[in-house]
Amino acid sequence: MVRVGLTPQRLARAGAELADEVGFDQVTVSALARRFGVKVASLYSHVRSSHDLKTRIALFALEELADRVADAVAGRAGKDALAAFAAAYRDYAREHPGRYDAARFRLDPETAAAGAGVRHSQMTRAILRAYDIGEPDQTHAVRMLGGVFHGFISLERAGGFAHTPVDTQESWAWMVDSLDVLLRNRTTHPPSDEAPPAPGRPATSG
Amino acid sequence: MVRVGLTPQRLARAGAELADEVGFDQVTVSALARRFGVKVASLYSHVRSSHDLKTRIALFALEELADRVADAVAGRAGKDALAAFAAAYRDYAREHPGRYDAARFRLDPETAAAGAGVRHSQMTRAILRAYDIGEPDQTHAVRMLGGVFHGFISLERAGGFAHTPVDTQESWAWMVDSLDVLLRNRTTHPPSDEAPPAPGRPATSG
DNA sequence: TCCGTCTACCTAAAAGATTTAGGCAAATCG
DNA sequence: CGATTTGCCTAAATCTTTTAGGTAGACGGA
């Protein structure tokens, strides 16, 4: 009876690796026990349930992703930061598809609030600092950026773009460009020498 | 032995209702059999597997959603159509959360291609017609719109916006406004009397 | 109306996942 | 070195998935 040294943290990390290999929805307590060479019941000393295990994997992935994004945007600002921010998300999804799915696991609100979700929105706000967007527009922009990157990646991975010959990377770059322009046009105090608001800017917000 | 009259179609529809009630990931062949008052094995005469059942529910939801969107945008153009298009997606997700999740079920490429996914991208292209955007920008825009609406809805439902007091509906309206401006600035042949391209438009695409 | 065929639903059963209860041995700490 | 804690165990109940094969009701043809 050799002790393997299971902990909730190790289970979450191993679960993340398993998710990358076989898909997040194929991650089960049984499969994880097999991977550690222990009996299924042993894992229930460390996680409360299958749902608890998935939650831990999700939190692990969110944390890891936040670290990556933080690294990517460090020392950058403006469009440069926006592009690095976007690339960090997309690269993570490509390198770790299972973990990315895990990061999208539906968490109950208080669990989500306690996790790295807050870091993600703070980093998004940091990106927006260069664009000088006041509230409540800043919050709107945070939500849009979160949505647009996640949504694009999600649809891309679901094969939703496969039927058209246009390169996905080009679409991504086009989108980042467009968002940069959009955000510059939402600036609360536009600089006089560059990027004044577009004439078409609606008057509904701000 | 009363015959209930099971068909793959009825199972898909009932599965969709079940998904709305208990969540798409709680939809199982067993649960659906209970709902019909028949034995589990009976359902396997109509669907090949649990995965097959979920695929059918997904296709059903995609079709229904496409119908709704088509209805919503009929007779509209420009920003009016864009807003109606966006609202149709969001309303569907609010009214039928389980079906909306089903519509995001990962389908293998050929199944997706045979389903209503094509209608969705065609309708998106129809929205863009008013903005007069040429290829490949049109494809980029289709992908961005698909991504942004899906992503926003997905994050909203995951509770990702709950920690900020700003009204989600306002953010949604702000986003639709912004996208309208963005698309007008991407016009290939700008009209002379309104909405010229923003000065900040990058030269990378087109 | 009776018969043959089809098929919708059945019973039975195997295999795997989830979860709980209780036990033994290894690690740890005085 | 002994007591306690803890990590992994066996055992067992419940549930889901899936297959194999059976029965009875529906339906068309004579």
Side-chain angles (χ1 to χ4, degrees), chain A residues 140 166 171 177-178 186 204, chain B residues 140 143 171 177-178 186 204:
Chain A
H140 300 327
V166 178
S171 293
D177 270 358
S178 299
R186 288 296 196 179
T204 37
Chain B
H140 300 327
R143 291 171 175 178
S171 293
D177 269 358
S178 299
R186 287 296 195 179
T204 37

Side-chain angles (χ1 to χ4, degrees), chain B residues 12-90:
Chain B
R13 168 167 251 113
E17 289 163 12
L18 183 59
D20 283 339
E21 292 168 26
V22 303
F24 182 62
D25 50 352
Q26 299 300 313
V27 173
T28 67
V29 180
S30 300
L32 200 55
R34 274 194 295 277
R35 162 162 299 223
F36 275 103
V38 300
K39 296 295 170 182
V40 185
S42 306
L43 267 61
Y44 280 87
S45 308
H46 305 281
V47 299
R48 275 195 309 281
S49 64
S50 181
H51 186 271
D52 180 40
L53 171 65
K54 286 180 182 163
T55 298
R56 287 173 192 275
I57 298 173
L59 292 173
F60 170 80
L62 281 170
E63 200 78 44
E64 187 179 53
L65 177 54
D67 289 345
R68 287 240 198 162
V69 173
D71 249 29
V73 303
R76 299 176 196 270
K79 186 180 173 184
D80 198 25
L82 182 69
F85 179 87
Y89 274 95
R90 190 152 177 255

Side-chain angles (χ1 to χ4, degrees), chain A residues 101 104 106-107 121 125 135-137 139-141 143-144 146-148 150-152 154-155 157-158 161 163-164 166-168 170-171 174-175 177-179 181-182 184-186 196 198-202 204-205, chain B residues 101 104 106-107 121 125 135-137 139-141 143-144 146-148 150-152 154-155 157-158 161 163-164 166-168 170-171 174-175 177-179 181-182 184-186 196 198-202 204-205:
Chain A
D101 282 345
R104 296 302 156 194
R106 188 79 43 91
L107 302 172
S121 66
R125 286 199 139 79
E135 288 293 359
D137 290 38
T139 297
H140 300 327
R143 291 171 175 178
M144 185 173 85
V148 71
H150 162 45
F152 188 100
S154 177
L155 290 185
R157 299 219 313 110
F161 300 158
H163 50 79
T164 326
V166 178
D167 183 29
T168 314
E170 268 185 49
S171 293
W174 184 93
M175 193 171 75
D177 270 358
S178 299
L179 290 170
V181 175
L182 187 157
R184 279 194 274 140
N185 288 342
R186 288 296 196 179
R201 182 186 182 190
T204 37
S205 59
Chain B
D101 282 345
R104 296 303 156 194
R106 188 78 45 91
L107 301 173
S121 67
R125 286 200 140 80
E135 288 294 358
D137 291 40
T139 296
H140 300 327
R143 291 171 175 178
M144 185 174 86
V148 70
H150 163 45
F152 188 101
S154 175
L155 290 185
R157 300 218 312 112
F161 301 157
H163 49 80
T164 326
V166 178
D167 182 29
T168 314
E170 268 185 49
S171 293
W174 184 92
M175 193 171 75
D177 269 358
S178 299
L179 290 170
V181 175
L182 188 157
R184 279 193 274 142
N185 288 342
R186 287 296 195 179
R201 182 185 183 191
T204 37
S205 60

Side-chain angles (χ1 to χ4, degrees), chain A residues 33-122:
Chain A
R34 274 194 294 277
R35 162 163 298 223
F36 275 102
V38 301
K39 296 295 170 182
V40 186
S42 305
L43 267 62
Y44 280 87
S45 308
H46 306 280
V47 299
R48 276 195 307 282
S49 64
S50 181
H51 185 271
D52 179 41
L53 171 64
K54 286 179 183 165
T55 299
R56 286 173 193 276
I57 298 174
L59 292 173
F60 170 80
L62 282 170
E63 200 78 44
E64 187 178 54
L65 177 54
D67 289 345
R68 287 242 197 160
V69 173
D71 250 28
V73 303
R76 300 176 194 270
K79 185 179 173 183
D80 197 26
L82 182 68
F85 179 87
Y89 274 95
R90 188 149 177 256
D91 290 347
Y92 189 77
R94 293 168 96 85
E95 288 173 38
H96 297 295
R99 300 182 198 200
Y100 188 78
D101 282 345
R104 296 302 156 194
F105 185 64
R106 188 79 43 91
L107 302 172
D108 49 312
E110 66 267 27
T111 307
V118 182
R119 278 180 71 201
H120 285 270
S121 66
Q122 279 172 348

